Amino acid sequence: MPRFSLRWRVALVLGLGSVLLTSALAVAIWNLTSGYLLRQREQGAVRQAEVNARLVDEALRTGSAGLNELLTGLTTGPDSTVMVFHAGQVLTSGRQVDARVLPRRLVDLGREGTPAAQRLLVDGIPVLAVTLPIRSTDGAYVELAPLVQLDRTFRFLSGLLVAVTLGSGVLGVVLGSWASRRALRPLTELTKAASRIAGGDLRARLPTQTDPDLTPLATTFNATADALEQRVLRDARFAGDVSHELRSPLTTMVNAAEVLRRRRAEVPGTAGKALDLLTSEVDRFARMVVDLLEISRADQHAEDLTPETIDLASLVRNVVSARPGGSAPVDAPEPSPHVLGDRRRLDRVVDNLLDNAERHAGGVVRVAVMSRDGNARIEVDDAGPGVPPELRDRVVARLDRGARAG
């Protein structure tokens, strides 16, 4: 199962915390608000029903003939209902409702002289049923006060609280992402600087930090990078100095080996084989010294390069033709690709590729210069089996001779 990054974990935790906190506040607001509104509505409906019940009781007690007109006047809207239970009959005004849908216990409480109120859903409409006794006839007065507006208010309030809760969660995630990005920015800069150093840029440093918690990190990293840069430069200078000091005796050895090579025919047998071995090792020694000088020069002057435009095909042909027996075919497109680089180092790279092919892979079969999508490529095909997969990471390592090097 994939794990979220630290940045997203922080953002999600902050978002979840925002949702939980807002949910708790929303529940509290809902309970307080809905309870208050419902109590106010119930109290108003009960007070109005008490007034109406006294009017109906008075009309029944005096035997008034205008009872139906009175009940009609007591209704407060198209959704309200007034019901009077007395003398075994039910008088209804307003929205017509079957008396049997009312809870029997609710009506019985009114007849027994006990006021009662209960929220009901009658024919799909929420109402508050208020039951009051009619003492003159031992009947009951029932008024169904509609709660449609209050129900709409509750729906709106609940929707608003849910939206606010979800919005707070989204806002928490956004703020968490922004805050974590700012908090993790020093780590991002540290990663970039470390990657640059790993890639060879020893001058990569962290910027100065104003945060007292981050200042020691930046100071320690920069001090470590400084020490590493100085160590590499010292090693490069040492290699350069040693290589430079070796050039004079090496030149003498090369010249002497060349003289002996010309007189090889005069040295037969074991002595001749020893001479061949000696001259080949002198040549190898010379190449190693040249490599050391090139490495030390590259380390000390990596930032001082002045690239020039180079015809890559011409460069490769020149290197191939300058080698002994330089007859390897060179395939190149027309027009030849041009690159920006250091001519001397590119010469050295191509020469090393050709040298490795001849010494370790049975000779050069083909040399190609290719260009595609704005990128140039040099290929040297040899007659060997290729580099084993487990050694391919070591091909570009400095002075690495492979697992079978002696």
Side-chain angles (χ1 to χ4, degrees), residues 68-103:
N68 290 330
E69 290 77 5
L70 175 62
L71 295 179
T72 302
L74 294 181
T75 58
T76 57
D79 293 327
S80 65
T81 302
V82 172
M83 306 176 73
V84 176
F85 295 81
H86 82 102
Q89 61 179 345
V90 181
L91 300 178
T92 304
S93 178
R95 185 169 69 98
Q96 295 300 306
V97 174
D98 188 351
R100 290 174 296 182
V101 303
L102 298 179

Side-chain angles (χ1 to χ4, degrees), residues 182-262:
R182 289 184 59 87
L184 296 176
R185 184 177 299 170
L187 294 181
T188 303
E189 295 175 348
L190 176 62
T191 302
K192 291 180 179 179
S195 299
R196 289 174 57 190
I197 291 178
D201 183 8
L202 299 180
R203 297 187 180 182
R205 298 292 185 274
L206 288 179
T208 303
Q209 302 291 331
T210 57
D211 191 325
D213 294 328
L214 299 176
T215 299
L217 174 64
T219 303
T220 303
F221 179 87
N222 291 338
T224 303
D226 289 337
L228 177 61
E229 181 182 18
Q230 294 303 318
R231 175 65 179 273
V232 171
L233 292 178
R234 283 197 302 270
D235 292 345
R237 283 194 295 268
F238 175 75
D241 293 342
V242 171
S243 301
H244 183 75
E245 292 298 326
L246 289 174
R247 294 191 67 177
S248 295
L250 180 61
T251 302
T252 303
M253 294 171 62
V254 170
N255 292 334
E258 187 61 31
V259 172
L260 293 174
R261 187 178 287 111
R262 287 197 296 267

